[in-house]
Amino acid sequence: MSLVRHAIRVAAVEALRGATIVGDNVLDSQNGAIDFDADNQPKTLQKKPFIAIYTYDGSAERGPGASGFRDLGSPQQLMLGIEIGHAAGMLVEDPSTGKKVLETGLPYTDRNVEFYLDLLAAQAMGALSNPDNSWAEIWRGMVLSVEKRDTLAVRSVGGQRLAGHQIMLTLTIMRDPAPGVPLGTGHVYETFLAALEASPVESNRTQAALLRGFLGDADSRDWHRLQRRQGLTADELMALGHGPLAQDQTRETPPFVTGTLDLGDGREVTTTSEPE
């Protein structure tokens, strides 16, 4: 579960559209962009050169000295896959008839195809680093660091190198926004939502509406936002000096703003705590 995981993938797709020699043929989690058949042979359903973006395994771990209790939205690491392929028409033998038929797939690579793939990979990395690409700016704002980059060649069972590469980026990404916690106009996730809403792609606008509905309206209760963020029980919240009064069964106690402490001898101290 990660809203930022989704945002990282969408921002990468949009940042690469029109920014490389494949044009707009940039795919989001396309099933079988580079796949394997029953004989473990690589195949593709694409009919022209493509880039496909995927998110793979992710994990979140509290490091030594990390604060927080049961924070389920903490920063995490995940793997972002960028698959690139030079699809082409090929004559293959139909096993049922023995005849040659034309199919689209990944051909064996050669000098020119390898240059094409290397150029495409460089263009993809350049697009994600482009300061004038607004979607890339969103992507960079959510990626705290790039821990590792692996480039893998696609090979057939016989070891022949095919016209496809896989770039695997290991990323540390920002924490998820929490429902009810205001993002603010400068927050990168708010920028992401606004970009989705302004997108000409209908599915992007639909996703934005669903995400807005999940995050909900801003919660004015600072103690409530703290409890969401840290995963605190009601007793833990009160032990830290936050939250509703112990006898408030409906949890409607307003957040503390101003209080007076009697020090004796007629002395008093007034304290003020502004909400987050």
Side-chain angles (χ1 to χ4, degrees):
M1 178 281 298
S2 173
L3 299 182
V4 175
R5 175 189 177 94
H6 160 261
I8 288 286
R9 189 179 66 252
V10 171
V13 169
E14 297 299 334
L16 296 183
R17 287 194 197 278
T20 73
I21 48 181
V22 304
D24 289 338
N25 198 29
V26 183
L27 313 171
D28 183 352
S29 306
Q30 179 72 38
N31 184 27
I34 298 179
D35 206 352
F36 293 85
D37 61 20
D39 297 322
N40 205 31
Q41 293 284 348
K43 65 177 183 177
T44 181
L45 300 178
Q46 294 299 305
K47 299 183 183 301
K48 58 183 180 179
F50 64 89
I51 297 176
I53 308 295
Y54 302 87
T55 44
Y56 292 92
D57 296 346
S59 64
E61 182 177 349
R62 282 184 62 190
S67 61
F69 286 74
R70 302 173 193 87
D71 183 359
L72 299 179
S74 57
Q76 64 170 304
Q77 280 196 348
L78 65 78
M79 295 187 70
L80 182 76
I82 303 174
E83 296 186 353
I84 58 179
H86 188 284
M90 301 179 293
L91 286 175
V92 299
E93 184 175 307
D94 185 339
S96 61
T97 64
K99 296 181 179 180
K100 296 287 186 179
V101 295
L102 181 65
E103 286 188 1
T104 301
L106 293 175
Y108 293 128
T109 192
D110 59 25
R111 177 174 180 269
N112 290 330
V113 170
E114 279 300 299
F115 165 74
Y116 181 95
L117 294 175
D118 287 337
L119 175 60
L120 183 52
Q123 287 181 325
M125 296 300 98
L128 293 177
S129 302
N130 184 353
D132 297 323
N133 187 319
S134 59
W135 279 105
E137 180 71 8
I138 293 172
W139 188 86
R140 292 190 298 269
M142 295 187 182
V143 175
L144 301 182
S145 63
V146 178
E147 308 297 339
K148 187 180 180 183
R149 185 180 76 184
D150 294 304
T151 302
L152 311 172
V154 178
R155 298 182 182 275
S156 68
V157 172
Q160 293 270 23
R161 185 163 175 157
L162 302 180
H165 287 176
Q166 292 176 311
I167 302 171
M168 303 299 293
L169 301 178
T170 302
L171 309 175
T172 299
I173 63 176
M174 61 178 278
R175 64 178 301 136
D176 267 11
V181 177
L183 295 172
T185 55
H187 196 288
V188 66
Y189 198 83
E190 175 61 35
T191 304
F192 168 70
L193 290 176
L196 281 184
E197 291 165 336
S199 171
V201 180
E202 183 178 358
S203 61
N204 282 347
R205 299 194 299 272
T206 300
Q207 289 177 5
L210 292 171
L211 291 168
R212 291 280 192 198
F214 171 72
L215 293 174
D217 296 329
D219 192 334
S220 62
R221 297 165 293 179
D222 58 340
W223 61 268
H224 203 252
R225 300 200 301 268
L226 175 65
Q227 190 170 15
R228 280 184 181 274
R229 275 293 191 205
Q230 303 295 341
L232 302 171
T233 66
D235 288 342
E236 288 168 340
L237 191 70
M238 286 189 289
L240 291 174
H242 298 278
L245 299 175
Q247 64 270 29
D248 185 355
Q249 298 300 316
T250 61
R251 295 167 64 82
E252 295 296 333
T253 307
F256 171 79
V257 176
T258 302
T260 301
L261 176 63
D262 185 355
L263 300 178
D265 300 329
R267 294 179 298 157
E268 292 182 346
V269 174
T270 301
T271 60
T272 301
S273 174
E274 295 293 337
E276 292 180 352

